[in-house]
Amino acid sequence: MSDQQSITRAGNPAKPHGEAGAEMLARMNESHAPVTAWALSHAHPAPDAAVLDIGCGGGATLRRLAELVPQGTLVGLDYSPLSVAETRYYNRDLVTAGVMQVMESSVEDIPFAPASFDLITTVESFYFWPAPQDNLREVRRVLRPGGTFLLVADIYDKPGLPEQALRNIEEYKLFNPSLLRLGGMLHRAGFRNIVLHTQPGTDWICAEAHA
Ligand SMILES: C[S@@+](CC[C@H](N)C(=O)[O-])C[C@H]1O[C@@H](n2cnc3c(N)ncnc32)[C@H](O)[C@@H]1O
């Protein structure tokens, strides 16, 4: 097992904790940058949009999102106290300026009123959610009419996934639906105009869904 894999195992990507968790989150801020940049190219928020990132981890996605909404407001949500602390620190200028808040909470119960956000993102987190169908309904609840949800991962169920990806799915018990299944789940959760973007040469998925 590589050093990186040992750190990931000790840091627990499902709910990061401890020194290894902090190291892993810093690495993910870098390693998830390409899939995140690709996925966010599908988002076209108004400059003053209200944005939510679920499972914000080390905070790099929120920083990218802040560039898309220069007059907007941003919320990071994560049930790991370490992820909340790391995201706050990574974006401390934006937190201090009052444009970003980071909250410790699970996707199971998002502490906001219905229709609070114009854009909701989640990157490399969905596969850990405890009750994916119910959790998607909860995301739909807080999305405004006309708003966009982007569900992003670097794997989805398809033939020919690399061995390491298959090992990760087994070790971390990842929920890894096919395009067909994910599309159906989003529809049942109340989303419409669902587009499942994939990127040739990768196993990336960006599910774009609207309220
Ligand atoms: C693999 S990390 C990805 C972090 C970040 N989005 C990125 O792309 O680097 C997964 C994150 O999702 C969070 N997470 C997992 N299940 C969650 C849940 N039920 N509610 C909120 N956050 C959750 C974890 O705590 C962790 O910070």
Side-chain angles (χ1 to χ4, degrees):
M1 184 181 285
S2 71
D3 284 357
Q4 196 169 296
Q5 285 165 336
S6 312
I7 289 166
T8 300
R9 183 174 281 179
N12 187 13
K15 191 169 189 178
H17 65 95
E19 266 179 48
E23 196 173 328
M24 176 189 68
L25 287 171
R27 193 192 68 233
M28 285 178 179
N29 275 344
E30 304 293 324
S31 64
H32 294 168
V35 69
T36 305
W38 167 75
L40 294 191
S41 71
H42 300 102
H44 307 286
D48 62 348
V51 178
L52 169 67
D53 183 44
I54 302 171
C56 53
T61 298
L62 278 166
R63 190 148 205 100
R64 281 177 185 279
L65 286 164
E67 289 168 15
L68 295 182
V69 294
Q71 284 100 51
T73 53
L74 299 119
V75 175
L77 195 88
D78 203 297
Y79 74 165
S80 151
L82 175 67
S83 294
V84 169
E86 292 294 319
T87 292
R88 279 191 188 134
Y89 186 72
Y90 191 83
N91 295 288
R92 54 197 178 282
D93 52 337
L94 297 167
V95 172
T96 304
V99 297
M100 185 186 295
Q101 55 174 319
V102 189
M103 304 177 69
E104 187 185 320
S105 182
S106 174
V107 67
E108 296 161 276
D109 191 10
I110 301 172
F112 283 90
S116 291
F117 298 98
D118 302 295
L119 173 64
I120 302 178
T121 58
T122 189
V123 179
E124 308 288 359
S125 180
F126 175 69
Y127 40 49
F128 295 121
W129 294 359
Q133 184 66 70
D134 291 346
N135 304 153
L136 288 175
R137 274 197 200 94
E138 176 65 353
V139 174
R140 172 66 186 81
R141 182 185 69 78
V142 295
L143 188 63
R144 282 190 186 137
T148 302
F149 174 46
L150 297 180
L151 186 162
V152 183
D154 61 5
I155 46 166
Y156 61 95
D157 187 29
K158 66 173 199 174
L161 282 179
E163 276 301 315
Q164 186 57 52
L166 296 173
R167 277 196 291 274
N168 287 343
I169 290 165
E170 194 179 322
E171 173 164 5
Y172 297 109
K173 311 215 171 344
L174 304 182
F175 176 64
N176 187 44
S178 64
L179 295 180
L180 190 66
R181 187 167 177 202
L182 181 59
M185 290 177 76
L186 287 163
H187 188 83
R188 278 193 293 284
F191 293 98
R192 294 296 176 261
N193 303 325
I194 297 160
V195 187
L196 302 172
H197 304 277
T198 57
Q199 174 76 334
T202 73
D203 305 311
W204 299 351
I205 166 88
C206 172
E208 175 187 349
H210 298 266

